[in-house]
């Protein structure tokens, strides 16, 4: 997304706030939604992960998959005991690697992983672990190259859509079938 924006191919994308991103983009308010940073396991795996240290204690028996450069990845990289597999290049590849056992757990944004599992027809192959590493508010962001007039029009249109019940309907359709929780 950063490269596409830098090259002028896109003007609008989705992002969580950070100081670096705030300097690069205009963040439109309100946030689209808040999503959680979660750990996903295969449905048949009987283990329960209540905290990050439970995962770290597994060492090589708890290989974790996460997308480099993502907020979830930055939360665990370098954490003592956490073993990361060779990085996937997309959420789809991350889930496919989890399905075939290339890792025991996947870490990422709940909504993204749920939607991708639904798109793959694999929702029932996974379950959420109880550990939640944080929450991120996802925003519509606009390139700083947009003219003030276009930015104002986009901001007004976004505020109108965000106030409408239609947005919640769209988000629910996007999410697809929920993934089961670990009992």
């Amino acid at each position: 997304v950063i490269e596409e924006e830098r090259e002028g191919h896109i003007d609008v994308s989705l992002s969580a706030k950070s100081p670096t991103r705030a300097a690069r983009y205009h963040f439109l308010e309100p946030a689209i939604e808040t999503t959680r940073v979660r750990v996903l396991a295969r449905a048949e795996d009987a283990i329960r992960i209540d905290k990050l240290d439970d995962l770290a204690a597994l060492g090589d028996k708890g290989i974790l998959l996460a997308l480099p450069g993502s907020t979830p990845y930055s939360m665990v990289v370098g954490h003592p005991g956490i073993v990361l597999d060779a990085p996937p290049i997309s959420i789809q590849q991350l889930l496919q690697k989890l399905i075939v056992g290339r890792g025991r757990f996947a870490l990422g944004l709940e909504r993204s992983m749920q939607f991708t599992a639904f798109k793959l027809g694999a929702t029932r192959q996974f379950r959420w672990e109880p550990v939640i590493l944080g929450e991120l508010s996802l925003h519509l962001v606009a390139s700083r190259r947009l003219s003030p007039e276009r930015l104002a029009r986009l901001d007004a249109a976004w505020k109108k859509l965000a106030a409408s019940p239609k947005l919640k309907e769209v988000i629910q359709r996007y999410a697809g079938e929920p993934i089961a929780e670990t009992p």
Side-chain angles (χ1 to χ4, degrees), residues 41-74:
R42 286 186 301 282
E44 76 276 0
D45 194 338
I47 197 159
R48 181 181 170 101
I49 304 296
D50 289 306
K51 56 190 183 299
L52 190 57
D53 287 341
D54 294 345
L55 183 60
L58 294 171
D60 287 343
K61 292 185 175 138
I63 294 174
L64 184 65
L65 303 163
L67 286 175
S70 68
T71 299
Y73 182 88
S74 68

Side-chain angles (χ1 to χ4, degrees), residues 17-61:
K17 278 187 179 178
S18 73
T20 304
R21 292 175 185 161
R24 179 175 198 92
Y25 303 107
H26 294 285
F27 278 78
L28 303 182
E29 296 291 346
I32 294 173
E33 72 167 344
T34 299
T35 188
R36 298 178 292 184
V37 178
R38 299 214 49 196
V39 174
L40 197 59
R42 286 186 301 282
E44 76 276 0
D45 194 338
I47 197 159
R48 181 181 170 101
I49 304 296
D50 289 306
K51 56 190 183 299
L52 190 57
D53 287 341
D54 294 345
L55 183 60
L58 294 171
D60 287 343
K61 292 185 175 138

